[in-house]
Amino acid sequence: MTSTIGPFDQGDAVPPSTRPTPTDISAGYDPDPAASFSLHADAYTEPSWFELEQRAVFGSTWQWLCHVEKLREPGSYVSDTIAGMPIVAVRDASGGLRAFYNVCKHRAHQLLADSGTTNSIVCPYHAWTYDLTGQLSSARKTKHLSAFDTSQVCLDQVQVEEFAGFVYVNLDPDAPSLASQSGDLAVEIAERAPDIADLRFARRLTYEIDANWKAVIDNFLECYHCHIAHKDFVTLVDMNTYRVTTHGIYSSHMAEAGKSDNSAYDVSGATTTEHAVWWLWPNTCLLRYPGRGNFMVWRMIPVAPNRTLEIFDFFLETDEPNAAEVESIRYIDEVLQKEDISLVESVQRGMSTPAFTQGRYVCDPKGSGLSEHAVHHFHGLVLDAYKNAASSESRGAPGE
């Protein structure tokens, strides 16, 4: 493809009035992946698109919070930051699951940190105390205040949902439930990981990547590169059986795996012999690899237009991995991840040059792993989010 240098290539040097609109950024994209060009490089490098994504993507989608094990008991809580906003989820005294902005209604101090168990939510600044429903129950030295009624003060709620063994939150109060949006995803996970709710957290790996979060997702969603970049992986997974299917807000990536000796890790005692992977819009990847009962959650957290925090959590049958699992985690950490991070950081560098604007998808009509139709599907959802945000802002939506 021959490209010319235009407004997509100029980054911060382009005046705001000439920066591309959602219509511009979708130029070349076609509903048919075999006829389509990819996202423009500008979407990976321009700060304005990154800022829009914080609101239009991460501020209105279901974001993974934790495994249900961390919120099983009344009083258990987990705090985190979602789209830059502090939130906390709690199991209340009657067993209900609730989530709130993790912000005191008195002076905006953070209420709870990390995770744990508590009978009430006490602000560490001035000790305003809330029950586990978010209702203010006591506030020191306030009885003399006029028109102040503790029963009228409550923490601001955030949508929260248990789904397929995990807990998700959504900052958009009007967003449809994850269950209603996700089609057969929960069924697919239950079929392949019926033990998911009983697994235990065992390990966390974190990576700081010099690439836009979308570049990391793009790489995850295709195995067209696997024979070239992942020599060990293609001995673990039977690439002849690899199939990728897109649905609504997720895609599934399935293949037989771990049935014979390979150069990735030992699978001689494996009870799971399938590579079962799901991507959930926008940035959550769910995986079950060959081995004992296991499940992995892989999240790409955007930090800057060219910076991503990647968090990889392992849930296993036991708190501590066995010898084979130690080997498999080592392979993922020291081999597979290094290979992929090198790829996406190179892509990011290329996106920042005038030599690239957008490329073509390579698609297999049969939906094999050697196809980029799931990347095309992802890009369509990104473009939809951009267009919806632009439409809301043009109507002067509340809060804009």
Side-chain angles (χ1 to χ4, degrees):
M1 170 186 171
T2 301
S3 63
T4 58
I5 300 174
F8 298 109
D9 307 298
Q10 304 303 316
D12 289 334
V14 179
S17 61
T18 61
R19 287 177 184 163
T21 67
T23 300
D24 298 325
I25 207 78
S26 63
Y29 182 86
D30 191 281
D32 177 3
S36 181
F37 286 90
S38 66
L39 275 180
H40 285 267
D42 187 81
Y44 296 78
T45 60
E46 168 59 48
S48 61
W49 293 111
F50 178 82
E51 293 161 7
L52 176 65
E53 288 166 356
Q54 294 302 297
R55 306 188 307 274
V57 176
F58 294 95
S60 60
T61 54
W62 288 96
Q63 295 290 304
W64 187 91
L65 181 64
C66 65
H67 188 276
V68 292
E69 69 167 308
K70 297 198 79 171
L71 289 169
R72 288 192 199 280
E73 302 301 322
S76 55
Y77 67 88
V78 173
S79 64
D80 205 343
T81 301
I82 303 296
M85 299 294 168
I87 64 94
V88 62
V90 301
R91 184 73 67 178
D92 68 26
S94 63
L97 187 60
R98 299 173 182 269
F100 313 98
Y101 282 95
N102 194 12
V103 176
C104 184
K105 302 299 286 186
H106 173 221
R107 294 273 297 280
H109 196 281
Q110 178 178 320
L111 293 164
L112 295 170
D114 302 319
S115 62
T117 304
T118 185
N119 293 322
S120 59
I121 301 171
V122 181
C123 180
Y125 196 5
H126 299 98
W128 279 35
T129 302
Y130 305 82
D131 66 26
L132 298 180
T133 70
Q135 177 65 54
L136 181 66
S137 56
S138 66
R140 296 168 49 248
K141 308 293 184 179
T142 59
K143 290 184 179 180
H144 67 285
L145 297 182
S146 61
F148 180 78
D149 182 356
T150 57
S151 69
Q152 300 302 308
V153 180
C154 191
L155 300 178
D156 288 11
Q157 296 203 36
V158 170
Q159 285 208 73
V160 62
E161 185 173 344
E162 293 183 53
F163 180 85
F166 297 103
V167 176
Y168 293 79
V169 295
N170 194 322
L171 300 181
D172 182 355
D174 299 318
S177 71
L178 180 54
S180 70
Q181 293 186 59
S182 58
D184 291 331
L185 176 57
V187 173
E188 289 186 27
I189 292 173
E191 287 176 347
R192 289 169 172 82
D195 56 350
I196 191 169
D198 298 320
L199 297 176
R200 308 285 295 177
F201 174 76
R203 285 289 186 277
R204 169 170 285 188
L205 302 175
T206 59
Y207 309 89
E208 293 183 0
I209 303 175
D210 291 329
N212 184 272
W213 70 277
K214 296 186 295 299
V216 186
I217 296 292
D218 291 348
N219 183 71
F220 178 87
L221 290 175
E222 51 92 355
C223 220
Y224 180 48
H225 70 281
C226 289
H227 286 95
I228 311 303
H230 302 313
K231 303 295 187 182
D232 300 307
F233 179 82
V234 296
T235 70
L236 173 69
V237 174
D238 182 354
M239 294 300 295
N240 292 324
T241 66
Y242 204 124
R243 293 293 178 269
V244 178
T245 311
T246 61
H247 324 255
I249 62 167
Y250 78 99
S251 58
S252 57
H253 308 246
M254 305 295 170
E256 295 179 8
K259 293 187 174 182
S260 60
D261 290 342
N262 66 87
S263 59
Y265 60 87
D266 179 21
V267 294
S268 57
T271 55
T272 295
T273 55
E274 185 178 30
H275 167 79
V277 175
W278 299 267
W279 165 77
L280 175 62
W281 163 255
N283 64 323
T284 303
C285 303
L286 308 166
L287 310 89
R288 189 163 170 101
Y289 266 25
R292 283 199 305 172
N294 70 88
F295 211 83
M296 290 165 273
V297 179
W298 187 6
R299 293 176 291 151
M300 273 53 80
I301 311 298
V303 177
N306 61 350
R307 193 79 171 165
T308 299
L309 173 64
E310 190 175 53
I311 303 175
F312 211 144
D313 287 333
F314 294 80
F315 299 90
L316 306 173
E317 293 181 10
T318 53
D319 294 336
E320 289 296 325
N322 64 21
E325 289 163 343
V326 168
E327 185 181 348
S328 68
I329 293 171
R330 182 206 60 79
Y331 163 69
I332 291 171
D333 183 31
E334 299 180 9
V335 180
L336 190 62
Q337 281 293 91
K338 285 186 177 180
E339 292 168 345
D340 277 330
I341 290 171
S342 177
L343 293 173
V344 299
E345 290 187 338
S346 178
V347 166
Q348 187 68 30
R349 289 192 293 271
M351 291 281 190
S352 302
T353 71
F356 183 85
T357 299
Q358 57 186 155
R360 290 294 295 268
Y361 302 100
V362 175
C363 297
D364 178 0
K366 296 180 180 179
S368 76
L370 306 181
S371 179
E372 296 175 318
H373 59 284
V375 182
H376 171 268
H377 171 241
F378 166 50
H379 290 176
L381 292 172
V382 171
L383 292 172
D384 285 345
Y386 289 172
K387 292 174 184 175
N388 290 338
S391 176
S392 295
E393 290 174 3
S394 68
R395 295 194 303 267
E400 298 297 347

